[in-house]
Amino acid sequence: MSEKYWDAKFETMAENQMKAFQLEKLKETLKWAYEKIPHYKKAFDEKGVKPEDCQKLEDLAKFPFTVKTALRDNYPFGLCAVPLSEVVRIHASSGTTGKPITGPYTKEDLEQWTECMARGLWAQEVRPDSILQNAYGMGLFTGGLGFLQGAMRIGCAVVPSGAGMTERQILLIQDFGTTALCCTPSYCMTIIERAEKMGVDIKNSTVRTGHFGAEPWSIEMRDEIESRGGIHAYEHYGLTELMGPGVSFTCENYSIHINEDHVYPEIVDPATLEPVELGKEGELVFTALQRRAMPMIRYRTRDICTLRREKCDCGRTLITMDKILGRSDDMMIISGVNVFPSQVESVLMEFKEVEPVYQIRLAKKGYLDVMYVETEARPEIYAAGQAKVDELAKRISSRIQQVIGINVPVSITPQDSIERSIGKAKRIIDERPK
Ligand code: ADP
Ligand code: ZN
C-alpha cells in the first residue's frame, strides 16, 4: 500500500505484464471450469473447444458465452465448483427479473473480493480516519457486505446504516460526522432532497465523498449530486455473477478502472456476438480470472458500454470502461429510435426546475410502443401556478425531441407522487400488454 495506490503492483502494471498474468489465470480458470462443472464441460464440448485451445488472450473468443438463464437453470449450486464445505459465503441477487441467482465464495474468493473493494475505496480517498456510512442494503445483495469488507480492510470506522430510514441516515451523518457515504446514486439524491426539506444542508456537512453504484446514472445526475450535495461522486460497478461490486471503480478523474487482474473484459456486438474493438460500443462480457467457487466464463452482462485503453493521469494502467449507458433489457425502441432511461435522465437533469426523480411509462398504441415521461417540479414551480407547470412540461418535451429525436409527452406529476428510491431506482413502468 502507498499513499496513492492500495495495490501499486497491479494497479500500475505494464500492459504486457498484465496480459501475461491474465493469460496464465485464464488458462487455469478454463481448465478449472471444464473439469469441475458439468455445464461448462457440455458447453465447451458442444462448441468443440478444450481448455488447451486457449494459447493467447484472443483465443477466449472461441469459447462459449454464459448467460443469465444458465445461472437460473443451475440454481442454486449447479455452477459451484467446490463442495459446500469449502464455501464460506453465499450471496444471491434480488431476483427481480425471475428466480434469484446465487454467488458462492470460498475463503480465498472472499479475500480477493475484499481486496478489490479496498482498492476502489482507497482510490476514492477513504482512509483509516474516515467515517464511512454504508447505506447499501445489507443482506443477500452483494453491495452492502462488499463495501463493508473493503472499508474494514482499510480500517476506517464503518456505520452499517443499511438502506432506508432516510431521516435517521441524515441524523447519523450529523451526529457521527460521516465523511464517506455509500449507497445507490438515486438513494443519495433521496437523502439530499429529504435533508433539504428538514432544513439540513448536506453540502455543508462532513460528507465529502460518495461511493455510488448498483444502477445506471447519467453524468448529469453525478453533477447534480456534486453541486447540490457538495459530495465528490465516485462510482463502483459490479454484478453478483462476477463477485458483486469491485469489478471496477472510478479514480479522481472519473475514469472507471477495471480490476483486470481479476476480471477479463470484452465487448461484443450484442447482435452478432463478435468481439468489438476498443473504443466501440457494445455489450460487456466478463470472465472471472481467479474465482474458485463460481468461475464465470464469458458472462454476458447485458450492460451496454465501451472499453478504452488510454493513459489516465491517476497513473493507473488498469483498462477503463465508459459509464454504463444502460442494460440491453432496459433499451426501449420508440418510433424506431433506441432509447435508454439514462438518456432521458440526462435531458431532465438539464432542467433546474425539476426534482431529480422520474419514471418512464411504456404503453402500446396499436403495434407501436409509446413512452410517457413523468417527473416532479421544484416547489417554487407548483407555487407559481398550473400555467408555469404546463409550460415546463412543454419545454422538457421539446428538449427531448431535440436531443433524442423522439416526440414524448412529459407530465409534471404532483409533489412527492413519484416514489423515492432507497436502492436501485425503478425507472420503467411497463404497461404494455404481455
Ligand atoms: P440484478 O440487478 O440483475 O438483480 P445485481 O444486483 O448483481 O443484479 O446488479 C448488477 C447490475 O447492476 C449490473 O449488471 C448493472 O446493470 C447494474 N450496475 C451496477 N453498478 C452499476 C454502475 N455503476 N453503473 C451502471 N449500472 C450498474
Ligand atoms: Zn485513473
Side-chain angles (χ1 to χ4, degrees), residues 53 55 74 76 87 224 262 298 303 374:
D53 294 336
Q55 289 305 323
N74 287 284
V87 168
E224 174 89 6
H262 291 274
R298 303 194 86 201
D303 291 326
E374 298 173 344

Side-chain angles (χ1 to χ4, degrees), residues 49-172:
V49 282
K50 292 260 180 297
E52 310 77 77
D53 294 336
C54 184
Q55 289 305 323
K56 48 187 192 311
L57 287 172
E58 293 71 31
D59 290 338
L60 182 58
K62 299 178 197 158
F63 287 79
F65 291 101
T66 306
V67 293
K68 203 169 201 115
T69 47
L71 282 108
R72 292 207 181 113
D73 296 346
N74 287 284
Y75 175 84
F77 301 124
L79 293 184
C80 188
V82 300
L84 279 183
S85 57
E86 286 175 34
V87 168
V88 297
R89 172 90 62 76
I90 303 162
H91 278 285
S93 81
S94 55
T96 37
T97 48
K99 241 207 267 183
I101 55 131
T102 32
Y105 304 74
T106 62
K107 196 159 177 250
E108 183 57 24
D109 292 338
L110 213 54
E111 166 64 24
Q112 288 175 355
W113 181 26
T114 301
E115 280 295 308
C116 286
M117 287 308 298
R119 216 186 253 188
L121 289 170
W122 187 266
Q124 302 175 350
E125 305 176 53
V126 174
R127 293 292 179 273
D129 61 357
S130 302
I131 300 174
L132 178 142
Q133 188 163 324
N134 186 3
Y136 282 104
M138 298 283 165
L140 270 182
F141 174 61
T142 53
L145 289 179
F147 278 87
L148 174 76
Q149 286 156 216
M152 282 179 71
R153 179 60 53 90
I154 289 176
C156 63
V158 184
V159 184
S161 56
M165 311 250 281
T166 307
E167 293 194 2
R168 192 181 65 180
Q169 303 277 2
I170 295 162
L171 220 69
L172 293 175

Side-chain angles (χ1 to χ4, degrees), residues 250-257 312-316 318 320:
T250 47
C251 66
E252 67 268 26
N253 306 317
Y254 297 117
S255 301
I256 312 177
H257 292 280
C312 184
D313 289 340
C314 77
R316 286 179 187 79
L318 297 170
T320 61

Side-chain angles (χ1 to χ4, degrees), residues 232-246:
H232 189 125
Y234 289 108
E235 173 157 6
H236 289 259
Y237 164 85
L239 53 163
T240 314
E241 294 84 340
L242 263 314
M243 74 169 107

